[in-house]
Amino acid sequence: MRTLGNILWYFPFFGFINAIMFFLLGSLLVLTVVASPLGLGLIQYSKFLFAPFSWSMVSKEDLNVESNPAWEAYSTIIMILWIPFGIIFALITITQIVGLAISIVGIPVALVLAKSLRTIFNPVGMVCVPAVVAHEVQRRKDEEAINKHIR
């Protein structure tokens, strides 16, 4: 089923164009060195967009990824500067979601893009992982929430 979703993403909806554009933007930002945290995050997002039904975007906190505190502080500053651009890209993505949702065939793709809106606002704090890993992370979070309420 994932393969069919990825095929639909590529051919009738040209999703690879989104992926290529975000990859080029991320590469350009990495080349500037100043915005490399943002560029690396956008490259991760483009990896997700190349096969959105096989990959998922997960927060680095959920994966317990350790990073340098100086890098975190610098990334926060870069993210503040990203907010106006993130809003513009989010509006473009929302327009795509509405257009896809109008067509019956595009509803699954619209749902995938809707789930990825969080990444557009915070590409620095997200990592692209296989869908199986994302499901396991979500299962563990759910298990922790259940255990919190049982005690």
Side-chain angles (χ1 to χ4, degrees), residues 9-85:
W9 171 249
Y10 271 95
F11 293 111
F13 301 117
F14 299 106
F16 63 91
I17 294 173
N18 280 354
I20 291 170
M21 291 182 64
F22 274 107
F23 180 78
L24 292 174
L25 178 62
S27 298
L28 179 69
L29 291 173
V30 167
L31 289 175
T32 65
V33 178
V34 174
S36 52
L38 188 57
L40 293 172
L42 290 177
I43 289 173
Q44 288 286 314
Y45 183 57
S46 71
K47 181 180 174 183
F48 164 75
L49 288 177
F50 273 116
F53 291 93
S54 300
W55 297 89
S56 292
M57 296 301 291
V58 178
S59 172
K60 288 181 180 179
E61 293 174 2
D62 293 342
L63 293 175
N64 297 325
V65 174
E66 302 270 337
S67 63
N68 186 343
W71 180 262
E72 288 292 324
Y74 181 67
S75 296
T76 303
I77 293 169
I78 294 297
M79 285 308 303
I80 291 170
L81 297 174
W82 171 253
I83 289 173
F85 300 105

